[in-house]
Amino acid sequence: MEEPAPDRREANRGRLLAQMPKGAVCAEIGVWEGKFSARILAETDASTLHLIDPWAYMPQFSDTGFGRKKNADLMEVKYHDVVKAYGTDPRVVIHRATSEEALSALPDHALDWVYIDGNHHEAFVKRDLELSLQKVKPDGIIAGDDYNWKVAELGGPVKRAVSAVMQDLGRQAELSVMANQYIIRLKRSSD
C-alpha cells in the first residue's frame, strides 16, 4: 500500500493525536527533523516528551531515510536542528540513542503513551513494541506510523510486528488503524 498523500497523512496523524491524553508523559521514537514533535507538543500539551533517535547513518537500511546515501551527511545536521528547536524547552528530553538504549534507561510504566516511527524492519518494530509494553503504563497507549509500509515488497513488516504483539496481548489490548497510523490501547491489570 502506498503512503497516503502528505495532507492526508498529516490529517490522519492529527486524528491520532486527538486521541492521545493531554498533559501526558510520552515518547517519540524516530524523530528525524522534529516536525511531528512540534505537533505532539502543540496538540497534546505533553508535560514531558522524550525524543528518541540515534541520528545515525545506517547504510544497511538503504530503503529508509536514515540509510539512503544522500542522507549520510545530514544526520548531524538533523540532530543539531532538533537540539536548536527543542533543547531549551523544559518539557523535552532529547535522547541521541537507539530506541533500545533510551527506553531501557526509563523506569517501567513511566510513559502514558509512545509513538513509534523508527526503523520499520520487523525485528526493530517488534523490539520497540516489546520495550514500549514495559515502559508504558498498564492502561497506556502505543501508537505508530507506517502500518502498511512495504506490504507488497516485504509483506508488511510493521503490520506483522503489530499483529504478533496483539496476538500475545489478546484481550489486554485493542487495535485501531487509520490508514498508516495505528493505536494500541492497553487494558492490562496494574498488578
Side-chain angles (χ1 to χ4, degrees):
M1 181 171 181
E2 292 289 318
E3 178 72 23
D7 55 342
R8 184 166 171 227
R9 179 177 190 239
E10 293 310 312
N12 285 328
R13 281 181 148 189
R15 288 177 44 218
L16 179 140
L17 288 176
Q19 296 181 50
M20 298 301 116
K22 303 288 185 221
V25 176
C26 54
E28 178 187 10
I29 297 171
V31 178
W32 190 244
E33 297 173 326
K35 291 179 182 174
F36 191 56
S37 311
R39 287 193 69 183
I40 292 171
L41 289 167
E43 295 177 36
T44 71
D45 193 29
S47 64
T48 304
L49 173 58
H50 294 272
L51 299 180
I52 301 169
D53 198 308
W55 287 282
Y57 172 56
M58 298 178 191
Q60 67 271 35
F61 301 111
S62 60
D63 57 350
T64 66
F66 55 86
R68 289 189 188 105
K69 184 144 181 68
K70 70 177 185 173
N71 293 331
D73 297 328
L74 292 178
M75 294 301 143
E76 203 63 31
V77 172
K78 291 184 183 306
Y79 167 68
H80 287 291
D81 287 348
V82 168
V83 169
K84 184 178 177 184
Y86 303 104
T88 60
D89 189 325
R91 301 170 297 170
V92 176
V93 181
I94 299 171
H95 303 263
R96 188 173 192 179
T98 66
S99 51
E100 184 157 11
E101 293 164 340
L103 288 175
S104 294
L106 295 175
D108 288 354
H109 303 175
L111 301 171
D112 295 299
W113 63 276
V114 64
Y115 184 79
I116 301 172
D117 192 17
N119 189 324
H120 295 349
H121 292 271
E122 188 170 358
F124 293 91
V125 177
K126 190 166 192 289
R127 186 65 180 144
D128 284 347
L129 289 165
E130 291 167 350
L131 286 166
S132 295
L133 285 169
Q134 294 173 12
K135 303 306 172 177
V136 171
K137 293 178 179 174
D139 61 346
I141 297 170
I142 300 171
D145 193 16
D146 296 314
Y147 184 76
N148 295 300
W149 183 73
K150 297 218 179 247
V151 169
E153 304 92 62
L154 300 175
V158 174
K159 189 177 202 172
R160 281 196 314 267
V162 170
S163 295
V165 166
M166 288 303 297
Q167 185 172 351
D168 290 345
L169 287 169
R171 293 184 177 170
Q172 295 180 79
E174 179 181 286
L175 174 67
S176 59
V177 178
M178 297 174 289
N180 274 335
Q181 306 298 306
Y182 64 88
I183 300 173
I184 301 170
R185 294 186 186 284
L186 301 174
K187 303 181 210 175
R188 302 174 296 176
S189 167
S190 57
D191 298 335

